[in-house]
């Protein structure tokens, strides 16, 4: 299945040996890893449901050697083993890793030495510890923590205890879990050029958001502590069980660090899909940045540039920072849908550290997110993107294929290339500069027990030119008290 929208071409990933759609299955929650030494080589993992008549899912994956134009789907990590929440990453030499959650809420990590064509589990089954909605990152710096892997998970359910763990041997063994200050969940991790670890997420399964720093996680001889805790205002709450994705999240909180070596080096960025404070419908994709090592963050900036309409959903927002410092953001968007739920993938980028953003561009055809449910009412909980110096590689789920046997569309995995080249001239809008209103609370955690990818398609356009010099941001008012939301049931 190939779905073309203007210059953007989406290629189906979960296909049979003849590169055709597989009728009757479902696939969602795609995570992509790209070989930074050869952008033609990529691998995507996802939750694979062999039939929509069952909630049983496995760890599916596909790989490409031609920049995403054709994909091979060899099967699943382990036949008949329940797996969920796939998260993929690649180290600086192009070796991909696949973190996978088991039904026990324990996880394990797999490594491939041939670009994702086959996988080897590193620890014993479930030996990675972990928990619900786990995520991980790899230290790719040249410091003492080089090659270390860090993972964090939700407090809704864990393998044993805690919320954070570290591997100092590349994922083979994992140390005893630790708790995290303020318990942020549904977030991601990254490492700056100095080897400092940052974790972003939301407390209370909604808000407020926090950015945590550990400056000693890179030291193998000590138990990691978190020496900086900063509250971040992203303008609203994370949502789950809402109209657009009834059985899942409206989107996660993503954190990434700029390691470009340029003027924006070590900037820390956070993006989330939030329901604005004071409203009970609709979501926006919002962004905040820190230029001082996570001590303070800018006021929230709304990336989706359509007129404010709380009947619209901008959801599954995610982003990536390119080696040259450009920021690429993608999300699902209902702005063009008369029913306010049919969605398209949208794209925007920033070439100045998030100060200005390009005009939003639709990069996919419209699809309904409500069909093809595999006995759970959601199309996963996230999509992902990995950027290089000329564009971004996106893995997303959509329902373009129609299954006449089921009289409905199917959930499938797609790859599309987005880029600042091609399309209409962007009109960026400024993101406020960092202010000192976000208070950092030094908190020590108790020691608890690019080479440019070959472009398969043209993409979005020209380097943004700020329309005006951003004004100094006034001190924002205190963040409203988040609404009380029930603790969600674990969602492996």
């Amino acid at each position: 299945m190939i779905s073309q929208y203007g210059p953007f071409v989406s290629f189906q990933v979960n296909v049979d040996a003849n590169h055709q759609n597989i009728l009757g299955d479902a696939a969602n929650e795609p995570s992509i890893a790209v070989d930074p030494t050869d952008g033609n080589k990529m691998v995507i993992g996802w939750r694979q449901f062999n039939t929509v008549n069952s909630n049983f899912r496995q760890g599916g994956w596909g790989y490409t050697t031609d920049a995403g134009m054709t994909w091979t789907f060899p099967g699943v990590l382990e036949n008949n083993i329940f797996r969920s929440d796939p998260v993929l990453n690649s180290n600086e030499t192009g070796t991909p890793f696949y973190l996978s959650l088991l039904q026990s809420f324990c996880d394990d990590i797999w490594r491939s030495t041939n670009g994702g064509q086959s996988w080897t589990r590193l620890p014993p089954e479930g030996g990675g510890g972990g928990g619900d909605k786990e995520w991980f990152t790899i230290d790719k710096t040249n410091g003492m923590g080089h090659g270390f892997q860090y993972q964090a998970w939700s407090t809704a359910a864990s393998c044993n205890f805690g919320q954070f763990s570290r591997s100092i041997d590349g994922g083979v063994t994992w140390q005893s879990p630790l708790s995290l200050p303020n318990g942020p969940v549904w977030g991601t991790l990254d490492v700056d050029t100095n080897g400092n670890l940052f974790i972003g997420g939301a407390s209370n399964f909604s808000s407020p958001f926090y950015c945590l720093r550990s400056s000693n996680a890179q030291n193998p001889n000590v138990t990691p502590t978190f020496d900086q805790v900063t509250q971040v205002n992203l303008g609203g709450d994370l949502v789950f069980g809402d109209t657009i994705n009834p059985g899942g999240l409206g989107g996660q909180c993503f954190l990434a660090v700029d390691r470009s070596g340029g003027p924006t080096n070590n900037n820390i960025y956070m993006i989330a899909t939030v329901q604005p404070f004071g409203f009970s419908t609709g979501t926006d994709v919002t962004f905040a940045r820190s230029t001082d090592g996570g001590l303070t963050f800018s006021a929230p900036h709304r990336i989706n540039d359509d007129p404010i309409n709380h009947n619209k959903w901008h959801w599954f927002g995610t982003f990536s920072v390119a080696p040259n410092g450009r920021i690429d953001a993608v999300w699902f968007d209902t702005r063009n849908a008369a029913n306010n739920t049919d969605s398209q993938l949208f794209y925007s980028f920033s070439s100045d550290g998030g100060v200005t953003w390009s005009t939003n561009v639709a990069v996919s055809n419209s699809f309904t997110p409500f069909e093809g449910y595999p006995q759970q009412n959601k199309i996963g909980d996230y999509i992902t993107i990995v950027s290089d110096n000329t564009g971004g590689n996106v893995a997303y789920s959509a329902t373009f294929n129609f299954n006449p046997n089921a009289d409905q569309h199917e959930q499938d995995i797609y790859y599309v290339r987005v880029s600042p080249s091609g399309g209409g001239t962007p009109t960026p809008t400024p993101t406020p500069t960092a202010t000192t209103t976000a208070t950092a609370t030094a908190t020590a955690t108790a020691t608890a027990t690019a080479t440019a990818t070959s472009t398969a398609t043209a993409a979005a356009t020209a380097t943004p030119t700020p329309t005006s010099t951003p004004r100094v941001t006034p001190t924002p008012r205190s963040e409203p008290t988040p609404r009380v939301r029930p603790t969600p049931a674990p969602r492996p």
Side-chain angles (χ1 to χ4, degrees), residues 28-334:
N28 58 39
E29 278 183 17
S31 180
I32 186 169
V34 181
D35 184 341
T37 71
D38 183 353
N40 292 303
K41 298 177 181 179
M42 294 176 276
V43 59
I44 295 174
W46 63 84
R47 303 194 314 163
Q48 170 64 28
F49 301 79
N50 288 340
T51 171
V52 295
N53 298 320
S54 170
N55 191 34
F56 187 81
R57 79 297 299 259
Q58 301 170 84
W61 92 90
Y63 68 89
T64 181
T65 58
D66 60 5
M69 289 185 288
T70 57
W71 291 85
T72 299
F73 170 23
V76 297
L77 291 178
E78 291 180 298
N79 285 319
N80 300 316
I81 299 296
F82 183 103
R83 291 185 174 275
S84 195
D85 295 356
V87 182
L88 278 67
N89 206 331
S90 175
N91 66 15
E92 74 281 1
T93 64
T95 299
F97 294 82
Y98 189 133
L99 181 64
S100 177
L101 186 70
L102 293 155
Q103 195 165 17
S104 63
F105 291 105
C106 299
D107 61 36
D108 45 45
I109 196 156
W110 300 64
R111 180 181 63 204
S112 175
T113 57
N114 55 12
Q117 296 182 44
S118 62
W119 296 89
T120 299
R121 187 178 60 227
L122 299 180
E125 187 170 277
D132 185 40
K133 279 286 162 283
E134 86 295 354
W135 210 271
F136 86 111
T137 194
I138 303 170
D139 185 333
K140 304 172 188 178
T141 70
N142 293 320
M144 72 175 85
H146 176 261
F148 287 11
Q149 296 184 6
Y150 307 104
Q151 67 163 309
W153 54 89
S154 165
T155 54
S158 64
C159 175
N160 293 305
F161 53 88
Q163 201 187 348
F164 167 81
S165 187
R166 173 183 70 175
S167 172
I168 63 174
D169 56 11
V172 176
T173 61
W174 290 83
Q175 298 177 345
S176 182
L178 305 172
S179 297
L180 291 177
N182 301 99
V185 301
W186 297 340
T188 68
L189 317 81
D190 205 357
V191 178
D192 71 9
T193 60
N194 299 315
N196 296 311
L197 171 67
F198 293 88
I199 302 176
S203 289
N204 307 312
F205 298 93
S206 58
S207 68
F209 295 89
Y210 285 95
C211 173
L212 314 181
R213 182 189 71 185
S214 175
S215 57
N216 68 356
Q218 61 187 305
N219 185 344
N221 300 313
V222 304
T223 299
T225 56
F226 292 87
D227 56 352
Q228 183 172 283
V229 179
T230 303
Q231 187 171 325
V232 182
N233 179 9
L234 283 168
D237 301 320
L238 292 185
V239 297
F240 62 89
D242 217 323
T243 303
I244 199 63
N245 200 34
L249 303 178
Q252 295 197 176
C253 171
F254 288 84
L255 178 149
V257 178
D258 182 312
R259 294 184 294 273
S260 63
T264 56
N265 189 59
N266 284 338
N267 279 5
I268 303 161
Y269 307 123
M270 291 176 67
I271 274 181
T273 298
V274 301
Q275 194 159 85
F277 293 122
F279 293 89
S280 58
T281 60
T283 49
D284 290 318
V285 178
T286 59
F287 167 88
R289 77 181 190 280
S290 174
T291 60
D292 57 10
L295 184 65
T296 63
F297 277 78
S298 66
H301 174 78
R302 181 178 180 263
I303 294 180
N304 50 285
D305 60 5
D306 52 328
I308 293 175
N309 181 345
H310 295 289
N311 293 315
K312 298 297 183 180
W313 301 88
H314 313 86
W315 56 296
F316 276 18
T318 188
F319 78 120
S320 177
V321 183
N324 60 9
R326 189 193 66 255
I327 311 170
D328 294 317
V330 292
W331 64 94
F332 290 157
D333 197 305
T334 71

